[in-house]
């Protein structure tokens, strides 16, 4: 409580510019303003989206910036008007907020709150200022979460209180990776029992999608990745078979159609963020009723070109953001289900690093060695 209402100096990984490694710096974190929460992070995951920013593949990001959006921590202090959170609460910052007031939040059809970064900038807080400074310079927020910092400030619309007993090194996965993939199968695709699914990409989100397909009762789940080192874990998570596109002379969509007796899969999920695999996933779907879901985030400049006959003949192409979960309502329930052992996410974590070794965490991501790397503060 000694820091209540005061600036906190702590360590953070600052991205000063595109293409450069993150720099561990001392930053100043201002106290929360009205309807904001300051959080002491305990653990954070490294997601491919963070790497997209570092590589310059996502537009609209202001540098310098503190990245990170898959974290878990403890409320340090709250601003005026915050009534549902208090110091000491275990929480997860939410990369997709839930304001509870906009047309999207009031609709059962979507979870895409109109305060999302896809609609308005989250490089600054809602009052258009930041809470971070470093070396006398303003440092920007990322998705309002900025979990690559020992302390962060987040609007109350983007914070979910979770079970006090939740292990933080696993709870952070519910801030993005697990929730995104698991929900894509259950909420977006609404996979039917007995169906056949294909999951393109077997990283953290792809494996979570496999778990979702299994939970929905799919009887055939085909995992697809060029890294065969991920196949054993995919089978452990529920994949019934795994294939490497590089082992075939024909396009992978043709392989999948042949594997399903010339008909195609009932559901396909693109968990890579690559426009070629997005098209392949759609083409691999069953004529007339196949559903393909885009889960992976493509670079901002990417454009798709495809035959409209694929949709004209009855296939459905859908997108899924944060697994279709209304974040503040659903994340606490997902964590509770994990605590009740309704599913197991522990196997998603392949590496754990001290926070200071964050750049090594990005190296194992880029090399394909990791599913999820967790940083501990």
């Amino acid at each position: 409580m000694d820091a209540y209402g005061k600036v906190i100096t702590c360590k953070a990984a600052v991205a000063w510019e595109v293409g450069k490694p993150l720099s561990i710096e001392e930053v100043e974190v201002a106290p929360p303003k009205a309807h904001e929460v300051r959080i002491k992070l305990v653990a954070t995951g490294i997601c491919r989206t963070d790497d997209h920013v570092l590589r310059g593949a996502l537009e609209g990001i202001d540098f310098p910036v503190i990245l990170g959006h898959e974290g878990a921590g403890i409320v340090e202090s709250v601003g005026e008007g915050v009534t549902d959170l208090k110091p000491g609460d275990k929480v997860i910052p939410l990369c997709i907020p839930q304001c509870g007031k906009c047309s999207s939040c009031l609709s059962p059809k979507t979870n895409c709150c109109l305060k999302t970064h896809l609609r308005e900038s989250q490089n600054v807080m809602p009052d258009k200022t930041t809470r971070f400074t470093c070396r006398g310079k303003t440092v920007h927020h990322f998705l309002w979460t900025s979990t690559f910092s020992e302390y962060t400030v987040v609007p109350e619309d983007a914070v979910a209180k979770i079970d006090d007993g939740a292990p933080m090194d696993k709870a952070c996965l519910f801030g993005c990776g697990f929730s995104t993939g698991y929900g894509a199968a259950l909420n977006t695709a609404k996979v039917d029992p007995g169906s056949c699914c294909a999951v393109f990409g077997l990283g953290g989100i792809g494996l979570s999608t496999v778990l979702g397909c299994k939970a929905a009762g799919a009887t055939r789940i085909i995992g697809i990745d060029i890294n065969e080192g991920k196949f054993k874990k995919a089978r452990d998570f529920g994949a019934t078979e795994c294939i490497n596109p590089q082992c075939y002379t024909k396009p992978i969509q043709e392989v999948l159609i042949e594997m399903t007796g010339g008909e195609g899969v009932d559901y396909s999920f693109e968990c890579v963020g690559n426009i070629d695999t997005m098209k392949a996933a759609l083409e691999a779907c069953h004529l007339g009723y196949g559903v393909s879901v885009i889960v992976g985030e493509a670079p901002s400049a990417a454009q798709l070109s495809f035959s409209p006959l694929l949709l004209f003949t009855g296939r459905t192409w859908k997108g899924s953001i944060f697994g279709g979960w209304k974040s503040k309502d659903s994340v606490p329930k997902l964590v509770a289900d994990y605590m009740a052992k309704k599913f197991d996410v522990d196997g998603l974590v392949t590496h754990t690093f001290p926070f200071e070794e964050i750049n090594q965490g990005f190296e194992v991501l880029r090399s394909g060695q990791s599913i999820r790397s967790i940083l501990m503060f």
Side-chain angles (χ1 to χ4, degrees):
M1 296 297 291
D2 291 344
Y4 190 87
K6 300 177 182 177
V7 172
I8 289 178
T9 299
C10 68
K11 290 181 180 179
V14 178
W16 290 102
E17 57 183 298
V18 169
K20 300 292 185 181
L22 295 168
S23 177
I24 302 295
E25 305 276 3
E26 278 201 347
V27 300
E28 296 79 39
V29 184
K33 294 186 179 181
H35 300 290
E36 296 177 357
V37 181
R38 187 160 61 184
I39 301 167
K40 177 178 173 58
L41 274 300
V42 177
T44 183
I46 296 176
C47 179
R48 182 72 66 177
T49 300
D50 301 306
D51 192 43
H52 283 337
V53 177
L54 292 176
R55 293 173 176 269
L58 293 185
E59 298 173 354
I61 306 300
D62 293 332
F63 288 77
V65 60
I66 296 174
L67 300 174
H69 62 285
E70 194 175 74
I74 300 169
V75 174
E76 178 271 335
S77 60
V78 301
E80 181 183 352
V82 177
T83 58
D84 60 339
L85 296 164
K86 64 182 185 304
D89 285 344
K90 281 191 174 182
V91 294
I92 292 177
L94 304 169
C95 57
I96 298 297
Q98 184 185 347
C99 73
K101 300 174 183 176
C102 71
S103 57
S104 288
C105 285
L106 295 174
S107 170
K109 298 178 181 179
T110 182
N111 67 320
C112 197
C113 175
L114 295 185
K115 288 190 175 182
T116 176
H117 64 285
L118 299 169
R119 179 157 175 120
E120 63 178 63
S121 172
Q122 293 179 339
N123 300 332
V124 291
M125 296 295 277
D127 71 350
K128 308 306 179 186
T129 64
T130 80
R131 304 292 170 267
F132 299 118
T133 55
C134 180
R135 303 185 197 174
K137 297 180 179 179
T138 293
V139 178
H140 295 92
H141 295 253
F142 177 63
L143 304 181
W144 280 348
T145 53
S146 294
T147 61
F148 292 167
S149 174
E150 289 181 301
Y151 286 84
T152 189
V153 178
V154 181
E156 64 175 335
D157 292 338
V159 185
K161 180 181 176 181
I162 62 170
D163 190 312
D164 283 341
M168 304 300 263
D169 61 330
K170 304 302 188 300
C172 62
L173 298 169
F174 293 85
C176 178
F178 173 76
S179 302
T180 296
Y182 192 68
L186 294 177
N187 299 328
T188 309
K190 294 181 170 59
V191 169
D192 294 316
S195 58
C196 175
C197 301
V199 179
F200 289 72
L202 298 174
I205 289 175
L207 291 179
S208 299
T209 304
V210 169
L211 274 177
C213 292
K214 181 180 178 181
T219 52
R220 191 177 186 189
I221 305 171
I222 305 168
I224 304 150
D225 205 295
I226 60 173
N227 182 351
E228 295 186 15
K230 297 179 179 180
F231 288 179
K232 181 183 183 304
K233 191 172 286 289
R235 292 189 182 96
D236 291 343
F237 272 64
T240 55
E241 55 211 292
C242 297
I243 57 176
N244 179 352
Q246 295 180 336
C247 293
Y248 299 89
T249 57
K250 61 182 63 177
I252 192 63
Q253 56 268 41
E254 294 182 17
V255 173
L256 288 167
I257 290 171
E258 287 184 1
M259 290 175 66
T260 53
E263 296 183 350
V265 299
D266 301 312
Y267 301 93
S268 67
F269 301 86
E270 201 284 343
C271 302
V272 182
N274 180 286
I275 58 173
D276 292 329
T277 51
M278 289 175 185
K279 290 189 290 185
L282 177 64
E283 291 174 15
C285 278
H286 196 291
L287 180 76
Y289 62 76
V291 175
S292 186
V293 182
I294 294 175
V295 191
E297 184 171 10
S300 298
Q303 297 290 319
L304 277 164
S305 176
F306 67 99
S307 169
L309 282 175
L310 291 166
L311 302 182
F312 178 75
T313 47
R315 297 175 184 85
T316 299
W317 211 357
K318 307 180 78 172
S320 182
I321 189 165
F322 197 62
W325 304 106
K326 288 188 182 288
S327 55
K328 282 181 75 79
D329 291 342
S330 299
V331 166
K333 295 175 184 177
L334 287 169
V335 174
D337 285 347
Y338 165 70
M339 297 294 288
K341 302 186 184 304
K342 293 185 179 180
F343 47 75
D344 186 7
V345 304
D346 294 8
L348 293 175
V349 179
T350 53
H351 296 74
T352 302
F353 298 99
F355 176 64
E356 291 78 7
E357 295 180 14
I358 187 170
N359 286 312
Q360 186 175 344
F362 275 95
E363 288 175 9
V364 297
L365 169 72
R366 293 163 184 158
S367 66
Q369 299 175 52
S370 70
I371 301 299
R372 261 303 185 269
S373 292
I374 303 299
L375 307 170
M376 302 299 296
F377 290 89

